[in-house]
Every structure is written in C-alpha cells, then in structure tokens.
Amino acid sequence: MKNSAIDAIMHPESLAVVGASTTPGKIGYTVLENLVKQGYTGKIYPINPSADEILGLKCYHSILEVPGTVDAAVMTIPAKLVPQAVEECGKKGVKGLIIITSGFSEVGKRELEEQIVDIAHQYNMRILGPNIVGVLSNSDKMNASFAPYLPLPGKATLVSQSGALLIAIDASTYTRGVGFDKLISIGNMSDLDFADMIAWLNDDPNTSCVTLYVEGFKNGRRFMDVCRASSKPIIALKSGVSAHGAAAAASHTGSLAGAAKVYGAAFEQAGVVQASDLDNLFDRTLALSLQPPMKGDNLLIITNGGGVGVLATDAAERYDLPLKFAPAEVQAELKKHMPEFGSAKNPVDLTGMAGNEWYHDAIKFAYAHNWVDGLVVLYCETAVTDPLEIAKSIKSALDESGTKGKPVTVSFVGGERSEKAMSWLVDHGIPAYGAPDTAVNAMAALREFARMKEMVNESVAACGEEGRAEALKVIEHARAEGRDSLTEIEAKQVFSAYGLPVTRTKLATSEDEAVAIAREIGFPVVMKIVSPDILHKSDAGGVKVNIKDEAAVREAYRAILTNARNYKSDANIHGIAIQEMAPWGTEVILGSVNDQTFGPTMMFGLGGIFVEVLKDVTFRVAPVATSQALRMLAEIRGAPILAGIRGEEPRDRKVLAETICAYSNMILDLADEIAESDANPVLVYAEGKGVKVVDARIILKPRP
Ligand code: COA
C-alpha cells in the first residue's frame, strides 16, 4: 500500500489541484499552469468551489464531483481548510497527497499537522509535505509545483528539505549543466520522509543517484537502514550545526558531540557520500549519476600540462586518494605515447605536444589496464589542439578499450571552446569540470561510495545477557538512592560487565580500610574521591597518584577528604577509591552520548587534559563494527601517535578497536539507562599489551 501511494504521487495518471486559482500569480494558478503547459499527459482536475473553468479546463467545485478516479491531489489552499480537503480526498479514493500549503509544524502548529496525517492514514493515503514546493519529474513531464520549469534532464534525483533551495537548484541545473530526473520537496516530512523516498527511488529506473539536501531527520536509524539497503549512490549536503547538548552536557563526550559530527558519522556508516557545500553537491552528483564506483585505490592521472598535473596530485592527497607511481610495464607502454621529455610515472604527462592521437592511445591502454582503478584526464587548452576533438578522442578511447565498470572524470582548463567540449563530454556520460581539483574530488566521491559500500553490511558482534543483568543491578542500586550518575567504582563495574578492561578499584570508608586495600592491590596505588556530587575529581583536589606506602595512603586519605569538603561542603562522600596504578600508556578517551536523532553514539579521541581544547575526536552511531572502529582510530589528527612516533612501538590498535566495539554494544544495550558516559583516560599500551580504563563516568537517563 505504501509504495502504491508513492507511485501515485510520483507517476499519477490523474491529478487534482485542490485550490486551483483563477488568479494568475497565485500558487494555485501557477501549479495548474505548470501541469497544463509543461507536458504532463495525465488527467488534470482543477478544484475550486467558485470557478467553473480555469486555463481551459473544467473546474469542479469539490473533488467528490470529479467523475473518474483521482490518483493524487496537490493542495494549494490555506492550512485551516486542509483537514477537510484531506477527508474529501480520502472519500474520493485518492492515494497520495502533495500538500504545498505552509502553516503547520514549522510554525508550531503540530496538532494540525498530526490531524491531517491521521485523516490521511484512515484512508490509506500518504502525504508528501506539507510546506513544500511540490514534485517535478522529467520522465513524467510533470511539474506539480510552483517552481518555474522542469530541471535540466539528467539521471540524478534531488530530495530537498528546503523548498526555496529546491527552486534555486532547479534554475541552476541549466547554468551548471548538471541534470536531474526529479526534484522532490519534502518539507515538514509529516508522513513521507527521506527514508521513504530513498527506498522508492532505489527501484526507480530513471534515477541513478539520489541527492539529498538535509536539515535534520526524525528517525536517524531508519534513514541509515534504508541507505544501507540501497544499491544506488546517495549523496547528502547537511546544513545546520546545532549546539544541541553542548552547553548542558555533564560529560566530556557530551560537550564534544556536535550534531554535524554525529550526522557525518551516520552518513559514513550508512554508506552516504557527503558534500561539503552546494557546488560540491552538484559536482559530486554529476560523477555519481554518470559513472560507476571506483573499486580500488589506484588512480591514474593523464595530462598535457605539468601544472594541472601537480594541482591534481595535491588534490588527490587532500581527498584521500594519494597517487602511486604506475607499475613499470604500465610506464613502459605509456612512454610510447609521449615525447622523450614526457613522464609516464603518475601523473602521466603527455606534455603540451599531446594531440588527439596521444591522448587516445594513452587513455585506451591505461583504462583497460588492471592496475588502474580510476582515471582522471586533464587537458590544458593549447593553440595546436581543438578541445572538442580531444573530448571525442577521450570518448572513443574509452569505448574502444573494451573496459566497463571503471570511473573516469575529466577537467579541461581553458575558455569557451573547452566549455563546449566539456558539455559534449557530459552529454556523452563523462563528467567534466573546469578545475583539476574538482575532477579529482568527483573521483574521490566515487571511491568513497565504493569503500563505504564494502563496509556497511559488516555484522556487529552481539553482547551477552550476563553483562546486562550485572550492569542493571549496579544501575538500579544508584537509582534506588535517587542518583542520576554512577560513582567511578559503579561505572567501572558496568564497563567491566561488558568486557571492558578496567583498573582494579575498591572503595575505602576509613583510613585503615584504605591501607588494607592498598596492601591487597599492591603499591603504588591511586586514590580518588568517590562522590556523586563531584564529577570532575581532579578539579576538586580529589585525586592523588603514585602513593607508595602506608603512611602516604593515610596522608592522602586525609588530604583528599579535606579538599573535597573545601570544594563542596555539602557533597555526599561515599569514601575514597583505592585503585591499581596502571603503568603509563598513551591516553585516549572513549565516550558516548544519546543523540536525539541517532540514539546511542560512540566517541573516540586522544585523551588527557587537552581533549576539550583540541577536539580531536570522532564519532560513530552504535553498534560500531570493527572496521569502523579501526577507521575511527585512523581518522583523528593524532592518528600517527597511535601508529608509534619517535621510535615508540605502535599502540595496541586491535584491542582498542575491540574495546570501542564492546563499549558501543554496552551503550546500545543500555540505551534506556545511559544518557552519557566516558572512559577517560583509557591507557593504550604497545601492540599485544592491550588497554586499561583508568577512570569512568556514567550519567543516567531520567526515568520517564
Ligand atoms: N477547495 C478548493 N479550492 C478552494 C477551497 C477548497 N476548499 N477553498 C478555497 N479555495 C480556492 C480559493 O477560492 C482560491 O481560488 P481563487 O484565487 O480563484 O479565489 C484558491 O483556492 C487559493 O485559496 P486562497 O485562499 O486564495 O489562498 P492563497 O492562494 O492566498 O494561499 C497557499 C494558499 C496554500 C498558497 C498559502 O496558504 C500558503 O501556504 N503559502 C505558502 C506556500 C509555500 O510557500 N509552500 C512551500 C514552502 S517551501
């Protein structure tokens, strides 16, 4: 039923315009005019209680008077009239509604919006909108919107949460030369949302790439599931970096998690390519809609100019596709298509003497070679060559190579003749750009898509029931005492229940007990205040390290208590934790937040006291698969520290990645309990020697 409703919206055979206006310039007039004049071949029924004819079409006073069936209805009447109109559409048997009208949840009228969704669902109808521009489809020649014209035809489909931006993009498809089959405005997403449209577009033969402009999701996890299941490339531009959670956050992780970072992580895990800005969205859409994914890392650049070659080389490194020299046999063959002073390494510099033939022969050979996973062809306009002829040579070389399924992008740097040649290339399915950097960035998008697709379906190990029962016991105890945070000892018990390696820690409530525990654990020890009212223990003078004997234990015990009382005189002090002093290791931080869109989300970064200043952290939505955990370790700026610097042994990244996975399982399993948490620092030892959680913090979710 669901899909047939979206089918009805996207390919209606009959369409009513409820609120078709008699007045040119009004939205209800423009929508009707667009349908009538821009080639829509289905039946159009204008609905207006006080008109008999509009734009030469018979006008019905109510949708219930229309003689035949009506697949979908576009609504352009004021918000307060929409509920009744939805009801009438339901009675008429309409399947899908395109509600252009504004004035619903976006202005706080949530109830009115819920009312129209309830009515629609009673009749098995689905709603696109409200608060949208409409739907534009080249393959159906349907402009069911108040945007002025259908976009430049192409193979991508845009789904946009902003209506104004959709109209602007519509116009710029022509100036940019990037075509779309459909533009879909989804506005308030009262019913149909990104996930519904992506799932539907996966089966749409006229869409090869789904382009998203995203402001926010209601259900982030469903979006991720649908994207993972999609076989088509999806590219997203996300706007709006909210400061949500940052100000009030009680943990380090909470203050470091910005919406943008969590969205970025979710896109990566769902296999969604990201765009950095609007230009980048177009550039990458062009490549993703025309070219296959790049399945390996070997990028070959062929150029007639050293300068653009170097620019492209820099870009390749910037976009995570660093160039390697081509193998000797590839170089030897390419040498045949250039003068003595050319270079066959990579970039392959055919030199300014290169004409059609050298381009053709070098490309034909390189494209077919197994070593090459992707090809970027650069050309600087010269007086002795015709850009269009070069473009044609590129195309024929690719066709004659007998190879398929490998991506190519092109950049021509020059004037009007180059522009024309690039349009010709795009018309023939080869993405072409005015700057070498852009051609490489577009190739990087094709590589990112392939790389993410390889990883998205990796399964994640589940965690055992035992850990959960043990952890819940600790949590219940704290809740019974009316607390919303666990003490360090309790937090470590929870971590330990899920297999995280924590330092041995016991609570002492007297000096004598402290001495006995220290003896049992073995010197040196660390002593820390345990109080639910003191979260930042060091700030309160509540931590003493490297305590070597009994006298020092007694002295530290007294000092910590005095400091804690001075810091917060009414603090509830449980006692002092005596803890094994773990040997020095590289300090990292692991943490979690319960993101409002994506739920439990993991953070990893280099730890220590500078973490909040350097913000060198990265996120993943839980559960985190091992490959993703390893990527987290590799993508922070401080990654070389984990790899081992200045003769130090590499750190135990394998165990650290496993710890991230176990932690992520814990926060997912305890999603109803844990609001935020962190393990900071976690000490990471040399390879084979593991990691140790030295300090732990868990903030509980309030019970509803
Ligand atoms: N059924 C059908 N037609 C009806 C109707 C009903 N129950 N009640 C009224 N109409 C007719 C009106 O008579 C009018 O036709 P007319 O111009 O020939 O008299 C037409 O529907 C439109 O109604 P009107 O009251 O004139 O509304 P409007 O055109 O001023 O505004 C909207 C209607 C939907 C355009 C406006 O409410 C709105 O939401 N605008 C913002 C839309 C937008 O920007 N959306 C995208 C955001 S990105």
Side-chain angles (χ1 to χ4, degrees):
M1 191 65 219
K2 281 184 182 177
N3 278 354
S4 72
I6 305 180
D7 280 343
I9 287 172
M10 302 307 296
H11 311 294
E13 283 175 20
S14 48
L15 194 53
V17 180
V18 179
S21 170
T22 47
T23 314
K26 275 195 174 183
I27 287 183
Y29 183 90
T30 307
V31 171
L32 188 67
E33 190 181 32
N34 284 347
L35 284 166
V36 172
K37 295 194 177 159
Q38 293 183 29
Y40 176 65
T41 53
K43 291 202 177 81
I44 307 169
Y45 300 112
I47 314 292
N48 183 319
S50 43
D52 297 325
E53 188 199 300
I54 311 176
L55 283 159
L57 292 174
K58 176 173 168 51
C59 184
Y60 296 87
H61 294 172
S62 155
I63 193 160
L64 294 167
E65 291 173 13
V66 173
T69 56
V70 181
D71 286 342
V74 191
M75 286 202 190
T76 58
I77 49 173
K80 62 178 189 305
L81 303 178
V82 171
Q84 198 196 330
V86 171
E87 182 89 46
E88 286 177 10
C89 286
K91 287 186 179 147
K92 176 66 191 163
V94 171
K95 298 191 192 95
L97 302 174
I98 300 169
I99 303 185
I100 289 179
T101 311
S102 302
F104 292 88
S105 64
E106 83 283 4
V107 292
K109 295 200 173 156
R110 205 163 286 282
E111 276 175 23
L112 187 62
E113 192 164 300
E114 282 164 5
Q115 189 193 354
I116 61 168
V117 175
D118 284 347
I119 301 170
H121 285 181
Q122 279 166 28
Y123 293 97
N124 286 326
M125 292 187 292
R126 303 294 309 262
I127 293 178
L128 189 68
N131 190 29
I132 61 173
V133 170
V135 175
L136 299 95
S137 168
N138 268 313
S139 47
D140 290 81
K141 295 245 175 303
M142 178 180 81
N143 181 357
S145 84
F146 62 91
Y149 34 72
L150 288 166
L152 178 74
K155 292 183 169 179
T157 284
L158 171 79
V159 185
S160 173
Q161 216 168 344
S162 158
L165 191 69
L166 181 137
I167 298 179
I169 286 179
D170 184 17
S172 73
T173 58
Y174 290 90
T175 51
R176 291 173 191 263
V178 178
F180 288 83
D181 186 60
K182 298 177 182 67
L183 305 180
I184 304 169
S185 172
I186 54 169
N188 295 2
M189 300 191 291
S190 67
D191 183 17
L192 294 172
D193 62 9
F194 280 109
D196 295 302
M197 299 323 292
I198 291 165
W200 187 86
L201 289 166
N202 199 39
D203 296 327
D204 175 27
N206 300 309
T207 298
S208 67
C209 165
V210 181
T211 302
L212 311 177
Y213 168 74
V214 177
E215 283 169 3
F217 300 131
K218 286 182 179 157
N219 184 343
R221 284 185 181 255
R222 180 159 171 262
F223 169 83
M224 290 176 76
D225 289 343
V226 169
C227 292
R228 277 198 193 104
S230 169
S231 56
K232 295 180 182 172
I234 301 167
I235 174 164
L237 174 62
K238 165 80 180 83
S239 73
V241 183
S242 105
H244 105 90
S251 70
H252 288 290
T253 312
S255 64
L256 289 163
K261 282 183 180 159
V262 180
Y263 267 88
F267 288 146
E268 160 83 28
Q269 287 171 279
V272 174
V273 176
Q274 292 179 69
S276 54
D277 57 32
L278 209 48
D279 287 340
N280 193 237
L281 185 72
F282 275 97
D283 294 337
R284 294 189 139 204
T285 291
L286 185 66
L288 289 165
S289 66
L290 295 179
Q291 290 289 308
M294 181 179 172
K295 294 194 177 123
D297 286 327
N298 294 337
L299 170 65
L300 191 81
I301 295 176
I302 296 181
T303 178
N304 69 342
V308 290
V310 178
L311 286 173
T313 306
D314 291 349
E317 199 153 313
R318 196 157 54 243
Y319 304 129
D320 214 13
L321 263 183
L323 292 192
K324 298 169 218 155
F325 286 144
E329 84 267 14
V330 175
Q331 293 194 30
E333 182 61 34
L334 287 169
K335 268 279 177 199
K336 295 179 189 163
H337 311 297
M338 61 181 70
E340 191 58 32
F341 49 89
S343 167
K345 288 178 176 161
N346 191 14
V348 176
D349 186 357
L350 304 176
T351 78
M353 285 176 64
N356 303 340
E357 233 171 80
W358 285 354
Y359 263 105
H360 175 275
D361 295 350
I363 290 169
K364 186 173 164 185
F365 164 76
Y367 189 61
H369 198 279
N370 279 343
W371 183 82
V372 176
D373 296 313
L375 191 62
V376 171
V377 181
L378 309 176
Y379 163 75
C380 287
E381 201 173 312
T382 64
V384 291
T385 49
D386 175 0
L388 189 58
E389 290 307 315
I390 297 285
K392 288 180 177 167
S393 299
I394 294 172
K395 168 81 175 126
S396 62
L398 296 173
D399 291 346
E400 289 164 24
S401 71
T403 304
K404 281 204 171 81
K406 259 188 218 180
V408 181
T409 65
V410 171
S411 170
F412 278 22
V413 182
E416 233 172 274
R417 293 190 309 155
S418 286
E419 289 290 332
K420 282 197 181 124
M422 286 195 284
S423 296
W424 186 91
L425 282 166
V426 173
D427 287 346
H428 289 82
I430 301 170
Y433 306 91
D437 181 294
T438 321
V440 173
N441 183 287
M443 183 60 73
L446 295 162
R447 178 72 195 114
E448 283 165 33
F449 172 55
R451 178 182 59 69
M452 289 189 291
K453 273 288 163 202
E454 280 165 23
M455 288 167 74
V456 287
N457 293 321
E458 192 191 345
S459 61
V460 179
C463 49
E465 271 295 301
E466 282 162 42
R468 180 178 170 81
E470 209 178 312
L472 285 177
K473 216 162 80 190
V474 176
I475 291 169
E476 283 313 323
H477 173 76
R479 290 209 190 265
E481 289 187 357
R483 285 188 276 131
D484 61 1
S485 66
L486 301 188
T487 64
E488 178 186 338
I489 294 186
E490 289 167 337
K492 279 184 179 165
Q493 284 167 350
V494 172
F495 281 1
S496 177
Y498 282 87
L500 277 89
V502 298
T503 44
R504 279 182 70 200
T505 308
K506 279 189 161 178
L507 183 72
T509 51
S510 70
E511 255 182 65
D512 288 343
E513 203 182 352
V515 169
I517 294 171
R519 266 205 222 115
E520 183 195 324
I521 287 178
F523 290 102
V525 292
V526 174
M527 292 172 63
K528 294 176 185 171
I529 189 77
V530 180
S531 163
D533 301 321
I534 303 176
L535 277 179
H536 297 281
K537 296 181 283 270
S538 298
D539 298 351
V543 181
K544 302 270 176 206
V545 300
N546 205 14
I547 296 164
K548 292 190 173 127
D549 54 38
E550 286 187 25
V553 170
R554 290 181 189 281
E555 196 184 314
Y557 196 94
R558 287 191 291 267
I560 289 173
L561 279 187
T562 311
N563 292 345
R565 293 254 175 267
N566 290 343
Y567 181 76
K568 201 165 194 283
S569 59
D570 60 345
N572 171 13
I573 293 171
H574 287 197
I576 288 176
I578 315 297
Q579 182 182 302
E580 146 196 9
M581 179 143 159
W584 179 88
T586 304
E587 287 187 23
V588 301
I589 176 172
L590 305 185
S592 78
V593 285
N594 224 317
D595 184 82
Q596 59 187 5
T597 309
F598 295 100
T601 300
M602 271 304 290
M603 183 193 82
F604 160 74
L606 281 188
I609 51 172
F610 300 128
V611 61
E612 268 155 278
V613 179
L614 298 175
K615 294 190 169 45
D616 189 13
V617 292
T618 180
F619 291 81
R620 288 294 184 282
V621 176
V624 181
T626 316
S627 59
Q628 287 291 348
L630 287 167
R631 273 194 73 77
M632 290 175 90
L633 306 190
E635 71 194 12
I636 57 164
R637 289 194 303 279
I641 296 174
L642 294 172
I645 44 165
R646 299 191 171 201
E648 237 179 51
E649 284 178 73
R651 305 286 95 190
D652 200 335
R653 283 170 290 187
K654 183 171 166 284
V655 172
L656 181 54
E658 287 165 4
T659 308
I660 291 175
C661 298
Y663 196 140
S664 78
N665 276 335
M666 175 187 81
I667 54 170
L668 193 61
D669 206 30
L670 298 176
D672 294 338
E673 307 290 342
I674 298 181
E676 292 175 31
S677 68
D678 51 51
N680 181 33
V682 176
L683 298 176
V684 188
Y685 300 110
E687 257 169 22
K689 304 230 165 74
V691 309
K692 203 80 161 187
V693 176
V694 172
D695 199 350
R697 183 175 317 175
I698 290 179
I699 319 258
L700 298 175
K701 267 188 169 178
R703 281 265 158 86

